[in-house]
Amino acid sequence: VAKGAADMVLTDDNFATIVSAVEEGRRIYDNILKAIQFLLSTNIGEIFLLLVTSIFNLGNPLLPIQILWVNLVTDSLPALALSVDPAEKGIMNRNPRNSKKGFMTNGMVWRIMYQGIMIGAIPLAAFMIGLREQGVVLGQTMAFATLMFAQLVHVRNLHSNTRSSLAISPLKNIPLIGAIAASAALALIVLLIPPIRDAFSLTALDGKHWLLVILMSLIPLVVVDTFKLI
């Protein structure tokens, strides 16, 4: 009767199990928020990119097949890998969360919005650079490459909303390293193999443009760490 009426049953008769269960529950909840924040911020970034170029008649920065590939490659595997992120330090020092409040708090909305605009502004700048140098095809290629790699770099920011991503060892989540590596490999296949690159209506990038893509893709680390510091 007691078990039937209880909200929780300790099968090992050890009250420390309650602490472990609460810690695991907080870790799972945090990881769900990380995946949601990553997916929403990256997709808002794509919307921002297309919206700005459409409003100001700057041309088409990405073709439908390119957008589809970005979503398949950079969204799926990293988001899944975030679900096995280890618990943050001090997770049990937090106050209990109000179960009646939703997960879209003011802080969550703010992070999604500013990170989304950042993710969209980076490929927008890359598109404008390529557009001015050689035309639409180079602009689309640079926007495509920068968007994918910036999103993969941004995944590292999601380990914590307060601690710098550089202070957190990437080895804490081995599956995430594998997911980033696999996604980067799929991105490079499209960018480097001529028949596949042609199928995506892209062009080859020279050393200068690759350097720009790499440097611009690292911007999310700088921007998000700055906001965390503030």
Side-chain angles (χ1 to χ4, degrees):
V1 172
K3 286 184 177 181
D7 292 322
M8 179 186 296
V9 177
L10 294 175
T11 58
D12 59 357
D13 296 323
N14 185 353
F15 282 105
T17 302
I18 298 175
V19 179
S20 299
V22 171
E23 182 176 7
E24 179 65 7
R26 290 185 174 189
R27 184 190 72 84
I28 292 171
Y29 184 78
D30 278 0
N31 290 349
I32 291 172
L33 293 186
K34 291 174 186 178
I36 291 173
Q37 183 177 328
F38 173 68
L39 291 171
L40 289 181
S41 62
T42 53
N43 281 277
I44 286 175
E46 294 171 22
I47 293 171
F48 177 82
L49 170 64
L50 297 173
L51 185 63
V52 171
T53 52
S54 177
I55 290 175
F56 294 98
N57 197 26
L58 300 174
N60 192 358
L62 293 172
L63 299 177
I65 189 173
Q66 296 166 358
I67 296 173
L68 178 60
W69 189 253
V70 169
N71 288 331
L72 288 174
V73 169
T74 61
D75 284 358
S76 54
L77 294 178
L80 288 172
L82 282 173
S83 67
V84 296
D85 226 27
E88 272 194 76
K89 290 182 179 180
I91 193 172
M92 293 301 289
N93 295 329
R94 302 177 189 170
N95 293 327
R97 179 179 60 84
N98 188 345
S99 60
K100 294 182 180 180
K101 289 186 177 180
F103 65 89
M104 293 298 287
T105 61
N106 291 337
M108 180 73 163
V109 172
W110 159 247
R111 287 190 294 271
I112 289 172
M113 293 307 297
Y114 93 77
Q115 291 171 11
I117 292 173
M118 171 195 66
I119 292 295
I122 294 169
L124 175 60
F127 173 69
M128 294 304 299
I129 292 171
L131 184 65
R132 290 179 179 177
E133 287 192 11
Q134 296 183 24
V136 174
V137 177
L138 178 61
Q140 289 175 341
T141 303
M142 291 192 65
F144 176 75
T146 307
L147 178 60
M148 284 195 294
F149 291 119
Q151 288 185 3
L152 294 178
V153 169
H154 179 51
V155 177
R156 286 279 288 135
N157 292 320
L158 277 299
H159 290 300
S160 172
N161 289 322
T162 55
R163 296 177 64 207
S164 169
S165 55
L166 300 178
I168 301 173
S169 171
L171 299 178
K172 293 185 67 174
N173 189 339
I174 300 298
L176 183 60
I177 296 176
I180 293 173
S183 297
L186 290 170
L188 290 172
I189 286 173
V190 173
L191 290 165
L192 297 179
I193 299 178
I196 301 177
R197 186 172 61 216
D198 294 341
F200 279 78
S201 301
L202 300 170
T203 187
L205 298 176
D206 59 22
K208 181 186 75 173
H209 293 124
W210 270 114
L211 180 60
L212 282 171
V213 167
I214 293 170
L215 292 176
M216 296 179 77
S217 298
L218 296 176
I219 291 176
L221 289 178
V222 179
V223 172
V224 176
D225 271 2
T226 301
F227 275 101
K228 288 178 182 179
L229 184 63
I230 294 172

